[in-house]
Amino acid sequence: MFNNIWFEILVFPGLLFLLAWTFFVFYFARKTLARIHKRVGPHFNGPAGTLQTVFDVFKLLTKENITPKTADPYLFSIIPLVTPIIASLPVILIPWTPLMHNGVVLDTQYGILGLVVLIGVEPFLLFLTGFGSNNKYSFLGGMRVLAQMLSMETPFFLAALSPAILFGTMNLHDIMYSNTWLTTLILLPGAIIFIIAMLGILEQPPFNIPEAEQEIVYGFYTEYSGTNYVLLKFAEFTEILVVSATAVTLFFSGYRGLFFDSFFCLFLKIVLIAILMVTIRASNPRLRLDQMLKFAWSWLVPLAILNIVWIIFAKLYILGA
């Protein structure tokens, strides 16, 4: 039991797995963007462009960590350590493979609630990242994080409740095994709302407003360099994994496949979501903050509420539950 705990913490779905995912998504996003935008480095720098990612990671790790004189030294130094830990915690709630007990490290009847709480904490940490820098550009980026997250988290969480209402449980393992082709179709509107809101939660284009380089230099990242910057990006990539895996588990049967159940099925579905995200990133301009706020509150939130009504109707009159 003790050995299993350390394996889960250090190897899978723990630290080594998250580091491997971070390197993979960094390479994957650059490679996909390179193919769409005809970028040279990720295409030709090493076998299949792999060395471009290796060199960039090495460059970031060897840069000097600089703390501005006007920054809060404690907050500025602590946040890059705390943020990756909080971003990694939801990993214990997600079913990754049938080889684990119920597929999860921590099996609980309140899995969705736990994910909602842990994902909801992240924006406040990013705000503190900008606040602790004591830089007007960083602070503006932090304020944009709060405005965007509070707007996008509402439809995000309402959409996440759809499977819980339909199946009558918040246990992620039970939701995954209750899903059928019919319930997947019923949940499809909620899945679309969830994925759109997910782009806002993850600050991915066209909602990469808090870190808009042309407007606020680099948002809450502005004053960070070296290892501290790498830790913050590690938290960002980990959150991409967590939120994508949550979407797959809630709406698309998680690690269940057509012919067999495996982590490979879950990973393939996550990669498909990643392809969608990168394609949107490569082909769409960034929205303004006011456009994002209007879209979230005037469209996404009402649609998320209507989706809850649809789920209740489907449960009563289509599934007869």
Side-chain angles (χ1 to χ4, degrees), residues 41 106 125 149 179 234 242 257 285:
L106 178 63
L125 294 176
M149 295 305 178
N179 211 349
F234 172 71
V242 166

Side-chain angles (χ1 to χ4, degrees), residues 85-96:
I85 295 173
I86 299 299
S88 302
L89 284 178
V91 166
I92 66 176
L93 298 172
I94 297 171
W96 294 102

